[in-house]
Amino acid sequence: MKLNEIIEMDKKYYMNTFGDRTPVCFDYGKGINLWDIEGKKYYDFLGGIAVSAVGHSHPKLVNAIKTQAEKLIHCSNLYYIEPQVKLAKLLVENSCADKVFFANSGAEANEGAIKLARIYFKKKGMPEKYEIITLEKSFHGRTLATIAATGQDKYQKPYSPLTPKFLKVPINDLEALEKAINGTTCAVMIEPIQGESGVNLTTIEYLQGVRKLCDEKGILLIFDEVQCGLGRTGKLFAYEHFGVEPDIFTLAKALGGGFPIGALLAKDHVASAFEPGDHGSTFGGNPLACAAALAAMEIILSENLVENSEKMGNYLVEKLLELKNKHSLIEEIRGKGLMVGIQLNSENAVEIKNKCFEKGYLVGSVGKNIIRLLPPLIISKEDIDGFISTLDGILSDI
Ligand SMILES: Cc1ncc(COP(=O)(O)O)c(C=O)c1O
């Protein structure tokens, strides 16, 4: 099909939740590159919004999906599933968690985390503890509960009244959090590095303080690592940067290397609050999704992608800082590993994103003044050099 025919069909048949999309339709990908249906090559510096960590169509991932699909795509969780237990073991052995539950997306994993925190206190005989405190500017998903948890009006307003209620406090403000904790609080839920609001970092002192507060008050700490987990920040899990372990954390995005899967992970004493019938999923943890995620995880670990994320992230930031010295348009470079935000002091973010696109580079924009980069973790210095010189040219033109 031609691009204009696809766009026409999209306008006619698809719900208009994405508005006017970038006018391109990708046909295939390899590594960090994508090719559109007209044969034009792109460098993917957004990675499907932090999903394509192992690059596009990694042969080991493709092979794992093919092999599993030929054997068994789905069976119910009424039965034992080999790829599911193998993936659970790999995640537990490489993290601070003892138990795992698989969902189909980040929002669904977070729903599970919210339910687990609530039921944990119910089963302890403290049903009055049901409220969760989250951060302003956070993003936790698009289901009703995760929209309520999200600290951004634009996602909430169209659906209010929202239920359940989540109290919001500013990022890196321990005093505000301490004041907000009350007799109904069961947990605090935090993205160690906020993604959707433009790469906002929590500080080590803050997260260590939050952990201490949660311990003192006897409440749970939940980390949403849907975007910042699995090597994205130069550590396998973002919490490792802070010397803090959560009681519960969630993953999705990069977990399946592009195949939809989410995960809810918890320490044993918390996980045991879920008893038969308390939670479930038809598709969550099915053989195909788990085989894909198992392959993606094995690639991340065996190809040293966490180390590459740290190294290439440092190189990218170093090069962006050189651009900052040259172009007054750049106000700040924020990030860890390959989760990077370019804060502009003007409202050119969409213009810059579009110019990058014209030159074959895919980047993201947040609002009017932040550019966001989330490239595959396999990225090389040469890829970064190409992007930096393209961005340099665009900034000079503006
Ligand atoms: C931190 C965070 N949590 C949750 C989600 C929701 O994930 P999903 O879109 O897979 O439901 C996202 C998606 O951007 C996210 O960045």
Side-chain angles (χ1 to χ4, degrees):
M1 283 174 80
K2 295 248 184 300
L3 180 62
N4 59 353
E5 292 169 339
I6 295 168
I7 293 175
E8 229 169 79
M9 273 175 79
D10 174 86
K11 301 284 173 218
K12 188 162 178 198
Y13 296 112
Y14 202 85
M15 291 194 196
N16 188 26
T17 56
F18 301 111
D20 286 331
R21 309 184 199 208
T22 304
V24 66
C25 178
F26 294 113
D27 190 25
Y28 62 98
K30 188 168 174 26
I32 192 184
N33 296 116
L34 285 164
W35 283 263
D36 71 15
I37 51 173
E38 282 149 13
K40 182 177 168 186
K41 180 179 175 181
Y42 295 81
Y43 286 81
D44 188 359
F45 273 67
L46 193 56
I49 319 186
V51 168
S52 308
V54 301
H56 296 285
S57 296
H58 191 294
K60 285 186 189 155
L61 177 61
V62 172
N63 208 24
I65 292 172
K66 269 188 180 168
T67 307
Q68 185 60 49
E70 275 165 3
K71 282 209 303 189
L72 179 67
I73 292 174
H74 179 80
C75 73
S76 154
N77 279 304
L78 293 170
Y79 313 108
Y80 292 98
I81 299 171
E82 187 176 330
Q84 187 182 88
V85 292
K86 285 185 172 163
L87 178 61
K89 178 174 186 271
L90 192 61
L91 284 168
V92 165
E93 284 179 350
N94 284 283
S95 75
C96 66
D98 301 309
K99 290 271 162 56
V100 181
F101 177 90
F102 293 118
N104 303 293
S105 65
E108 229 187 85
N110 285 339
E111 285 271 347
I114 293 161
K115 285 174 70 179
L116 180 58
R118 283 182 163 212
I119 204 164
Y120 172 78
F121 283 101
K122 244 195 191 145
K123 295 210 169 152
K124 271 178 158 263
M126 290 187 265
E128 71 283 2
K129 284 191 168 300
Y130 58 86
E131 219 166 58
I132 295 179
I133 300 174
T134 58
L135 298 189
E136 290 169 3
K137 296 190 181 170
S138 59
F139 183 80
H140 297 294
R142 300 246 191 194
T143 60
L144 270 178
T146 56
I147 281 180
T150 291
Q152 300 186 61
D153 277 353
K154 67 175 178 184
Y155 295 108
Q156 299 186 331
K157 271 200 181 136
Y159 298 103
S160 63
L162 296 164
T163 179
K165 194 171 145 228
F166 290 77
L167 281 182
K168 307 289 179 331
V169 294
I171 191 170
N172 292 327
D173 186 341
L174 207 54
E175 217 179 294
L177 177 63
E178 187 162 15
K179 270 194 201 143
I181 295 173
N182 61 69
T184 67
T185 309
C186 70
V188 178
M189 179 153 121
I190 290 176
E191 293 164 80
I193 301 177
Q194 293 180 337
E196 293 304 289
S197 58
V199 191
N200 298 307
L201 281 79
T202 55
T203 64
I204 292 182
E205 302 74 50
Y206 178 66
L207 281 199
Q208 290 189 348
V210 173
R211 177 71 270 180
K212 198 161 161 261
L213 254 183
C214 287
D215 291 341
E216 282 166 12
K217 306 273 183 187
I219 58 177
L220 300 174
L221 178 57
I222 305 170
F223 282 166
D224 177 344
E225 294 223 12
V226 166
Q227 185 162 150
C228 62
L230 295 165
R232 173 58 48 196
T233 67
K235 300 265 187 212
L236 188 57
F237 301 106
Y239 66 76
E240 296 171 37
H241 288 289
F242 302 89
V244 164
E245 289 186 358
D247 302 297
I248 303 173
F249 71 99
T250 54
L251 300 170
K253 290 200 182 268
L255 183 56
F259 200 94
I261 179 169
L264 157 65
L265 301 98
K267 303 266 192 199
D268 241 340
H269 71 284
V270 182
S272 59
F274 269 163
E275 291 174 290
D278 286 335
H279 197 46
S281 171
T282 296
F283 292 121
N286 90 359
L288 189 54
C290 289
L294 193 57
M297 271 292 286
E298 282 169 355
I299 295 165
I300 289 174
L301 296 173
S302 68
E303 297 188 7
N304 303 320
L305 298 190
V306 182
E307 292 79 0
N308 198 56
S309 171
E310 185 191 14
K311 237 194 264 166
M312 289 303 111
N314 287 341
Y315 183 68
L316 176 60
V317 167
E318 182 192 314
K319 291 284 150 189
L320 287 170
L321 286 172
E322 283 173 23
L323 286 191
K324 176 179 176 282
N325 288 336
K326 196 168 160 194
H327 301 280
S328 59
L329 219 61
I330 299 180
E331 189 177 302
E332 188 187 25
I333 306 298
R334 293 191 291 265
K336 267 201 195 303
L338 288 167
M339 185 170 185
V340 176
I342 306 170
Q343 178 76 49
L344 306 171
N345 53 28
S346 66
E347 300 196 337
N348 297 94
V350 174
E351 183 188 354
I352 292 171
K353 176 179 74 177
N354 290 341
K355 289 202 158 143
C356 284
F357 172 71
E358 281 164 24
K359 293 185 184 299
Y361 283 89
L362 305 176
V363 302
S365 61
V366 178
K368 293 176 177 164
N369 52 12
I370 301 169
I371 296 285
R372 189 161 57 135
L373 307 175
L374 299 158
L377 309 184
I378 53 162
I379 198 169
S380 69
K381 268 191 175 177
E382 294 70 51
D383 300 324
I384 292 173
D385 289 341
F387 170 67
I388 292 291
S389 92
T390 302
L391 186 60
D392 190 14
I394 290 169
L395 294 173
S396 298
D397 287 348
I398 292 175

